[in-house]
Amino acid sequence: MDTLCDRCITIPRPIHFRRSSHFPSRSIGTKAQIKARKDRCPFCRLIYNALFDNPTQYSVEDQSKIGVIWNGEYYYFSASHGEEIGIKIAVIQEEGADPSAARYARAVTGSQVDLSLVQSWLDQCREHHQQGSALQQMLEEPSTLELPARVIDTQKACVVSSAEADPNMRYVTLSYVWGQAAQYMLVAANKAKLMSDGAFTSIQDQLPRTIQDAMEVVNRLGMRYLWVDALCIVQDDEKDRTKEIYRMDSIYEGSAFTLVAASGTDANAGLAALHARKDDQDYETIWPGVRMTAIHDLEDILGSSRYGTRGWTFQEQTLSSRLLVFTNSMAYFHCHGCTWSENSWADATPRQQSKIGGPRTSRIVKLDDKPWVLYCDYLKQYSLRQLTNEGDRVDAMMGILQRIRHKLQCRLVHGLLSDAFEWSLFFDVSSCQRQPLFPSYSWAGWKGEVDTGWPMPDVGSDSWRDSDNDEDSTSESSGWTEKTAENVNKSTWIVWYERPPQGNLRLINECDSLPGRQSDIQALKVRLFTTRARIKHNVLQTQPTHDLHHLQTQIPNHYSVLQFWTISVKLCLRKFGVSSVHRVNLVDAKDEWCGQLRLPHDFEPQYGKVAEMILLATTDDHHILEENARMFNGVESLGPSPKTDPSLPDFYRAMWIQWHGDIAERVAVGEIHYSALRRPVEGKAAWKEIILK
């Protein structure tokens, strides 16, 4: 047996089978150092194979020092900067040995997944854990579940209407990658055939392997009904498709569990470990009688797979109450209370929350985080996913959006929340590549990572906010409060209208039609623009132009445009000194700094060009970066005279727009100082109607 190297021999031995706070992190070296020792040291070999020679990918820099900590049950690891690496190494509980907390791992035996073990996971979860998805728990919303319109009856081998199925129907949902495999689908032409008893028997060879395996698992686990998108939604019926997409949250959360096909790249990959598991579990004898193995976090396993990169699978994971995941080598079970795997004994204590063998699925969000935080966080993660059909960009997120929309009691406009609508518009994108199937004002209209902040109440003087809100702001200043929408309304004067391709012009926020709200808007415009900015134009008009027949050829016929009135001001683009942060400065007619824009990473602005900026809202919470002390000090001294109303915020959230005929498109967003309104580089700041596509 190989002996431990000089580094590993100093690590606390799990043979002691005890927890202790006296076991600090011990450094075992960099990737290169561990690699150099792995041929003669079994612990280095196990660590190296688990971290660096494994399909599961870990973002560990070559020069990062790896630290190891024993916590009484398993070893876990961290890199140089303190971030935890999603892997555990544990002692295997050998047959006949006395159970111990320190013998946390189990050897994976047999050539196929042990479905009796899977059944025990399902039974224990139903007994000890709450029903409902993590999203539903975080929103603290009661579940209002609706059955899908149709399910597959695996006993009758056909599609059946849920209304005709067992009234106490328990069904399983399937989450898988379609890929390039031929996909047999339910369409209007074959609907009658597929809803006839035995229909799947005659077309079994035409069904993707993953769907065939899913039917087998459902039957072997004593279930009967399975929901598969391709076979339970009429794919060429837009009305049926829309109805089912809009209740994806209910479909996935209401299922007994979601079966995840995490291996392969298409629908023919099947549930690999169901029939012949890949034997890729590493074992090493570290000390006499002490055999150990690595346990990978499920999040990292899924993130390293094709499944973890696809757009539709993101919400299917997020919305499901339970996940039963099949990889090439084994099965995993996950709910918001635990994660279990075939190679760990975490299921031995089902009453305890456990993430061993599995993930920090998405981001672990505290229960006191509120809808806007979830919206921003999930949107950022989802935007990194890929879609075969770019027209699905909103639909593939619809289940999550519907849950958040319902909590906020608002509606959706191309994936944007109508609640605090101007904050929905204020997102950053990593790429300037447009997706023309959606408007430029929506995140769906751009490819690449989307980053947006939530509308926290700005910190400012008491005269700008209601004193009644102080208690709320103090108690929940880090997240959403019930007063946030009210505080957001105080910072904007815009009355937003949506003009759909078909139908009538309509308000985005119905509250804007209330007399009290209109009075507040007029008062705010006078303070901001007439009094402070000395704009003499009529700023009272907010009603949109109803007759746009002369623009019919310019208006898109597949998405809504926005119509609204706001202040427009033209400023000049100047280079920001640090190119890697993707910023551009704005200067006024005196060449004085007056604002800053955030740009997509691949956008190359023409410095010296005049940019038209439209104002969206006031803010104290700006994102200005300091280029140098002179520039930043210049901000504070801007303006020919002291502020007429010191209670007003200094900055406006603004959008750079470009015109295409009589209709504008979004370019980028940022903040500008209030003094910019007095010294535009062209013309004057003006109250202007904007039609934004």
Side-chain angles (χ1 to χ4, degrees):
M1 184 185 77
D2 291 337
T3 57
L4 298 180
C5 65
D6 293 342
R7 284 288 184 93
C8 292
I9 204 169
T10 65
I11 297 171
R13 292 182 62 177
I15 198 68
H16 294 302
F17 297 155
R18 61 187 174 92
R19 294 180 182 272
S20 174
S21 60
H22 303 299
F23 294 155
S25 174
R26 305 286 177 88
S27 173
I28 55 173
T30 64
K31 175 182 177 179
Q33 291 169 336
I34 297 171
K35 182 178 182 180
R37 301 194 302 261
K38 72 182 182 70
D39 289 339
R40 63 180 186 277
C41 173
F43 198 60
C44 284
R45 184 161 55 246
L46 187 57
I47 293 171
Y48 185 87
N49 290 341
L51 286 179
F52 306 113
D53 191 16
N54 190 283
T56 305
Q57 299 169 11
Y58 296 98
S59 55
V60 181
E61 299 291 335
D62 287 351
Q63 298 307 311
S64 289
K65 291 184 178 179
I66 307 299
V68 58
I69 306 99
W70 170 255
N71 79 339
E73 291 182 336
Y74 49 82
Y75 291 110
Y76 63 97
F77 298 84
S78 62
S80 294
H81 299 292
E83 65 269 24
E84 185 177 337
I85 303 169
I87 189 172
K88 284 80 181 172
I89 288 182
V91 178
I92 295 172
Q93 172 72 51
E94 305 288 2
E95 289 188 25
D98 294 332
S100 165
R103 296 189 180 113
Y104 194 79
R106 58 183 159 207
V108 177
T109 59
S111 60
Q112 303 170 349
V113 166
D114 182 358
L115 287 182
S116 63
L117 177 61
V118 170
Q119 185 66 67
S120 73
W121 291 342
L122 296 170
D123 294 341
Q124 289 187 87
C125 183
R126 281 196 295 271
E127 180 180 355
H128 298 293
H129 302 151
Q130 288 180 292
Q131 172 72 11
S133 66
L135 177 60
Q136 179 257 325
Q137 295 292 319
M138 287 184 284
L139 291 177
E140 299 173 301
E141 280 282 279
S143 295
T144 54
L145 301 178
E146 300 177 67
L147 291 175
R150 302 166 204 86
V151 290
I152 296 170
D153 186 329
T154 60
Q155 292 183 12
K156 291 185 176 181
C158 66
V159 176
V160 297
S161 166
S162 295
E164 299 171 2
D166 185 337
N168 298 316
M169 179 181 69
R170 295 175 63 238
Y171 63 94
V172 175
T173 42
L174 176 64
S175 179
Y176 66 115
V177 176
W178 282 31
Q180 300 301 313
Q183 185 72 257
Y184 194 96
M185 295 185 290
L186 173 66
V187 293
N190 65 15
K191 181 178 177 182
K193 174 185 176 181
L194 292 184
M195 297 189 75
S196 301
D197 289 5
F200 289 129
T201 303
S202 62
I203 63 166
Q204 185 170 0
D205 292 343
Q206 299 177 57
L207 294 178
R209 179 63 181 272
T210 299
I211 295 177
Q212 295 183 48
D213 285 354
M215 292 181 183
E216 180 182 342
V217 169
V218 168
N219 269 318
R220 289 175 62 182
L221 291 176
M223 305 284 287
R224 179 172 180 175
Y225 299 106
L226 172 68
W227 185 90
V228 180
D229 50 5
L231 296 171
C232 297
I233 299 175
V234 185
Q235 298 294 321
D236 59 352
D237 183 335
E238 191 60 31
K239 183 177 180 181
D240 187 76
R241 191 172 185 272
T242 299
K243 181 180 178 181
E244 296 302 280
I245 285 173
Y246 269 73
R247 57 180 181 184
M248 282 291 183
D249 57 330
S250 186
I251 290 173
Y252 277 94
E253 187 179 307
S255 66
F257 61 89
T258 294
L259 189 57
V260 174
S263 58
T265 59
D266 60 38
N268 277 325
L271 304 177
L274 178 66
H275 302 292
R277 74 165 88 241
K278 181 179 179 182
D279 185 13
D280 58 2
Q281 190 174 17
D282 290 323
Y283 304 98
E284 291 288 346
T285 299
I286 308 301
W287 293 278
V290 179
R291 197 161 60 121
M292 305 190 78
T293 190
I295 300 173
H296 299 273
D297 277 2
L298 182 54
E299 181 188 29
D300 295 318
I301 292 172
L302 294 178
S304 301
S305 69
R306 178 68 179 275
Y307 176 90
T309 68
R310 305 308 297 169
W312 283 96
T313 62
F314 177 78
Q315 74 168 1
E316 292 164 7
Q317 283 179 255
T318 304
L319 296 171
S320 297
S321 293
R322 303 179 180 95
L323 300 175
L324 177 58
V325 180
F326 279 75
T327 68
N328 283 322
S329 57
M330 68 183 79
Y332 294 80
F333 178 83
H334 175 74
C335 71
H336 59 79
C338 73
T339 306
W340 297 330
S341 60
E342 287 187 276
N343 65 344
S344 82
W345 283 102
D347 53 356
T349 53
R351 293 180 183 274
Q352 297 178 12
Q353 284 203 350
S354 173
K355 300 296 177 186
I356 307 310
R360 319 164 296 271
T361 295
S362 303
R363 178 177 78 94
I364 301 303
V365 184
K366 296 180 181 179
L367 291 181
D368 59 358
D369 283 346
K370 299 302 178 183
W372 256 98
V373 182
L374 294 172
Y375 169 82
C376 299
D377 188 71
Y378 283 136
L379 181 57
K380 184 173 184 177
Q381 295 179 62
Y382 168 72
S383 65
L384 296 172
R385 301 287 186 111
Q386 300 168 5
L387 291 161
T388 301
N389 180 6
E390 291 296 338
D392 292 339
R393 288 179 68 80
V394 175
D395 287 347
M397 183 73 168
M398 186 56 70
I400 293 174
L401 294 174
Q402 283 288 89
R403 268 297 164 91
I404 295 173
R405 177 202 68 79
H406 178 73
K407 178 68 173 181
L408 292 174
Q409 297 183 338
C410 67
R411 64 186 185 89
L412 295 167
V413 181
H414 295 297
L416 304 180
L417 299 167
S418 66
D419 192 70
F421 185 65
E422 44 283 321
W423 259 259
S424 284
L425 298 169
F426 210 73
F427 57 86
D428 295 321
V429 288
S430 62
S431 172
C432 64
Q433 186 176 359
R434 279 280 284 120
Q435 175 43 261
L437 295 173
F438 298 94
S440 69
Y441 60 78
S442 169
W443 52 264
W446 302 87
K447 292 186 178 181
E449 183 178 0
V450 175
D451 195 359
T452 184
W454 56 90
M456 292 167 53
D458 285 334
V459 178
S461 65
D462 292 340
S463 60
W464 180 236
R465 280 95 199 155
D466 281 345
S467 58
D468 295 342
N469 296 343
D470 290 347
E471 183 178 348
D472 293 323
S473 299
T474 301
S475 62
E476 294 190 68
S477 60
S478 63
W480 177 269
T481 74
E482 296 302 323
K483 296 292 185 180
T484 299
E486 181 181 339
N487 286 330
V488 166
N489 284 338
K490 292 178 186 179
S491 69
T492 187
W493 52 89
I494 298 178
V495 179
W496 299 97
Y497 287 87
E498 175 192 7
R499 182 180 289 273
Q502 293 84 32
N504 298 321
L505 193 70
R506 59 178 177 175
L507 275 170
I508 286 179
N509 285 310
E510 292 298 328
C511 68
D512 284 341
S513 64
L514 300 176
R517 170 65 178 149
Q518 291 185 4
S519 297
D520 290 342
I521 288 173
Q522 298 304 337
L524 179 58
K525 287 190 293 186
V526 169
R527 293 177 68 193
L528 288 173
F529 307 130
T530 305
T531 303
R532 186 168 80 170
R534 301 174 185 170
I535 296 174
K536 301 185 183 301
H537 301 289
N538 178 12
V539 297
L540 298 180
Q541 185 171 356
T542 58
Q543 288 293 319
T545 301
H546 282 267
D547 185 1
L548 295 181
H549 285 102
H550 63 293
L551 300 181
Q552 285 305 310
T553 58
Q554 300 180 43
I555 295 177
N557 58 12
H558 54 286
Y559 58 73
S560 301
V561 296
L562 300 180
Q563 276 185 255
F564 56 98
W565 288 80
T566 189
I567 292 290
S568 163
V569 60
K570 293 183 178 179
L571 302 170
C572 192
L573 303 179
R574 286 286 185 271
K575 187 174 182 179
F576 186 75
V578 184
S579 60
S580 61
V581 298
H582 311 291
R583 301 270 175 144
V584 63
N585 285 323
L586 295 169
V587 297
D588 60 21
K590 292 187 176 182
D591 209 32
E592 291 282 351
W593 184 96
C594 62
Q596 197 173 93
L597 299 173
R598 300 184 294 280
L599 303 177
H601 297 175
D602 54 353
F603 187 82
E604 296 183 6
Q606 296 177 351
Y607 300 114
K609 179 180 178 180
V610 174
E612 181 171 356
M613 308 298 302
I614 56 172
L615 309 189
L616 301 182
T618 61
T619 183
D620 280 332
D621 182 29
H622 65 75
H623 299 84
I624 303 296
L625 289 184
E626 296 182 42
E627 184 178 11
N628 55 57
R630 185 205 63 78
M631 184 278 291
F632 191 71
N633 291 335
V635 175
E636 298 180 330
S637 62
L638 280 177
S641 61
K643 289 193 291 185
T644 57
D645 190 343
S647 71
L648 293 174
D650 285 349
F651 287 89
Y652 296 100
R653 297 186 186 273
M655 179 185 292
W656 175 11
I657 61 171
Q658 288 181 344
W659 292 91
H660 301 272
D662 298 301
I663 301 180
E665 279 198 351
R666 173 198 198 269
V667 181
V669 292
E671 288 90 13
I672 64 174
H673 193 260
Y674 76 92
S675 63
L677 276 62
R678 298 187 184 180
R679 298 196 295 268
V681 296
E682 286 185 9
K684 295 181 178 180
W687 185 250
K688 185 175 183 179
E689 184 176 26
I690 307 295
I691 302 173
L692 188 64
K693 67 176 181 179

